[in-house]
Amino acid sequence: MELVDILLEEWLLLVYLGFLLFVLVALLCGNWPVFDRTPVRALHSWIGGGACDCVQEILRLCLGSRGVRGYEFVEHICCERPNPILQLFYLSLIVGGFSVFYSTSFKYIPGRFLSSIHRFLGPSAVLVGIAIFLLASFSDPGTITASNLATHEDIYPFDGIIYTEKICPTCNIPRPARSKHCSICNRCIARFDHHCGWMNTCIGANNLRYFVFFLIWHSILCCYGVSLLVAILAGEVMRYGVMERLSFYGMVTFYDKLPHLVQWVITFYNHQVLLLMFLFVVSILLASFLVYHLYLIARNTTTNEVYKWEAYTRWYTDANGKSEDPGKTSKSLWNGCGFWSARRKSDPDRAENIYNSGMARNFGEVLFPLKHKDKVHSKQR
């Protein structure tokens, strides 16, 4: 009976890892053309809106119009107004993840490949991560009001394409170039990048640096956790002489031993393996998001501007009766990830990012947000 339980745990672990990988691919790459008419594309579409439609239809069938109104109210609170749901979810993830690590793996430190310093370094790294998260969440993103409008005006010139002089109809104040009124926060934000549900605030001129620090630190934190768990597992393999015991049964090469070694680790250290895989997947997600934002910063553009340029591209193409090169749009894998769209141009003579001042200055602009006296003297179009 004990052997059956062990085998069942191993199969459940493999199913969990396979499902986790499938969901990860669907979330990150489900809109790539290579996944057309596949379960990956179907899951990507379902997560992006189909799931909500199913819930709404179920409520309509069970509760009628009252259920639909209740769903729309909850959707409005969760998706269209500031709320701390994802902030609390983040805290539960990092505190829960560290608690699992503490209860299952802390006893192996110090070990064969780990010194006792990691008993203090690990908790300290988690606390620093939480501190950066709080700093990014509660610092001012660059709110523009009538009283401080003068400090934000003229920092960036209007490019005449995606930014023109206009009045914000909600705040009833002039809207500086590169700013945007966030419908969720109900305020205008300087150098608006995006509204981050995890931070429950907008990411703009003043807190983009903290947001990037958050991504950098948590990417390092996840990689650090993975390295600790790998070192713990390697130390336990050495302590019990697993490789020598496998050699005793006639297994000479490493490749002969590997399947049995993996089976032994999963059987006796399944908590460590699960936590390791979880941290590994999260580290990939964070690193991908970090690379994307570093790419945008290097070109001095924002997530909001990526969407604006895409809208301009579609408008210019339709207005001039042109068809876009498929190699640069929907059939491009880079476009599917969002990288290529930040630099694609429909009209090379007009679609020019006048805010790009060189990589060094672009990064300096994020680290030290520009003020009115630092007005950007970009080349005139």
Side-chain angles (χ1 to χ4, degrees):
M1 192 67 182
E2 193 172 318
L3 179 61
V4 174
D5 292 339
I6 292 175
L7 292 174
L8 180 61
E9 284 186 3
E10 292 179 11
W11 278 106
L12 288 176
L13 177 60
L14 291 175
V15 170
Y16 166 76
L17 295 179
F19 175 75
L20 198 62
L21 180 61
F22 177 69
V23 173
L24 176 64
V25 172
L27 283 172
L28 294 179
C29 314
N31 61 336
W32 288 11
V34 70
F35 294 117
D36 285 346
R37 300 179 182 178
T38 65
V40 175
R41 169 60 65 84
L43 179 60
H44 180 83
S45 301
W46 188 77
I47 294 175
C52 296
D53 294 338
C54 288
V55 171
Q56 189 172 11
E57 184 62 20
I58 292 173
L59 290 174
R60 186 187 67 79
L61 293 174
C62 296
L63 302 176
S65 59
R66 183 173 56 182
V68 174
R69 287 195 299 271
Y71 171 84
E72 291 174 347
F73 174 77
V74 172
E75 183 182 38
H76 174 74
I77 296 298
C78 294
C79 303
E80 299 175 7
R81 302 305 306 158
N83 66 82
I85 294 176
L86 288 180
Q87 286 178 302
L88 296 174
F89 184 58
Y90 157 79
L91 291 174
S92 68
L93 279 179
I94 192 168
V95 174
F98 179 76
S99 299
V100 171
F101 179 82
Y102 182 84
S103 61
T104 62
S105 306
F106 227 56
K107 59 186 177 183
Y108 299 109
I109 302 174
R112 187 180 183 92
F113 300 108
L114 294 172
S115 67
S116 57
I117 192 174
H118 293 286
R119 296 184 68 90
F120 306 97
L121 192 59
S124 300
V126 171
L127 290 176
V128 170
I130 294 175
I132 296 175
F133 170 78
L134 295 175
L135 180 63
S137 297
F138 295 104
S139 60
D140 176 38
T143 305
I144 303 173
T145 62
S147 60
N148 68 5
L149 177 63
T151 64
H152 294 282
E153 283 185 312
D154 298 330
I155 293 179
Y156 298 105
F158 294 97
D159 65 355
I161 302 177
I162 62 174
Y163 293 114
T164 57
E165 295 187 37
K166 61 178 64 176
I167 302 293
C168 175
T170 305
C171 300
N172 197 30
I173 58 175
R175 185 180 296 171
R178 309 195 77 181
S179 66
K180 182 181 185 297
H181 183 89
C182 176
S183 60
I184 297 177
C185 294
N186 194 31
R187 55 183 174 173
C188 285
I189 305 298
R191 199 183 188 275
F192 179 85
D193 190 274
H194 69 285
H195 180 89
C196 180
W198 292 97
M199 308 292 181
N200 193 29
T201 188
C202 291
I203 304 301
N206 292 350
N207 67 347
L208 178 58
R209 49 186 170 173
Y210 304 136
F211 177 74
V212 173
F213 290 156
F214 169 84
L215 293 177
I216 292 173
W217 187 261
H218 282 72
S219 297
I220 295 173
L221 185 62
C222 288
C223 292
Y224 175 57
V226 169
S227 65
L228 286 182
L229 290 166
V230 169
I232 288 172
L233 294 176
E236 292 302 290
V237 169
M238 296 291 290
R239 184 160 74 98
Y240 286 100
V242 177
M243 301 299 283
E244 291 78 6
R245 292 173 184 268
L246 292 175
S247 298
F248 178 78
Y249 289 99
M251 301 174 195
V252 180
T253 67
F254 176 76
Y255 295 103
D256 292 335
K257 300 175 182 179
L258 183 59
H260 301 279
L261 175 63
V262 172
Q263 184 178 16
W264 183 84
V265 169
I266 292 176
T267 300
F268 295 102
Y269 297 92
N270 52 5
H271 293 100
Q272 286 77 14
V273 172
L274 283 172
L275 186 57
L276 189 154
M277 294 304 300
F278 172 76
L279 291 175
F280 179 73
V281 170
V282 173
S283 67
I284 293 176
L285 291 171
L286 288 173
S288 301
F289 205 42
L290 171 62
V291 169
Y292 177 64
H293 275 277
L294 291 178
Y295 172 81
L296 294 182
I297 294 171
R299 295 184 57 81
N300 205 332
T301 189
T302 65
T303 306
N304 178 56
E305 289 167 356
V306 169
Y307 295 128
K308 283 181 174 291
W309 278 115
E310 287 180 342
Y312 168 76
T313 297
R314 290 191 297 269
W315 170 84
Y316 184 85
T317 300
D318 294 339
N320 291 273
K322 298 179 180 179
S323 59
E324 292 182 295
D325 180 1
K328 293 185 179 179
T329 54
S330 61
K331 292 186 179 180
S332 169
L333 294 184
W334 288 110
N335 180 64
C337 286
F339 285 91
W340 188 262
S341 58
R343 60 180 300 182
R344 190 176 66 238
K345 303 173 183 179
S346 281
D347 182 0
D349 296 327
R350 295 193 60 199
E352 183 181 3
N353 180 12
I354 66 173
Y355 308 116
N356 188 353
S357 304
M359 186 178 297
R361 186 169 179 177
N362 293 341
F363 276 95
E365 184 178 315
V366 172
L367 292 174
F368 307 100
L370 298 176
K371 306 298 181 184
H372 181 74
K373 60 184 176 63
D374 304 316
K375 176 179 175 180
V376 175
H377 295 283
S378 300
K379 55 186 176 182
Q380 297 299 317
R381 301 176 52 253

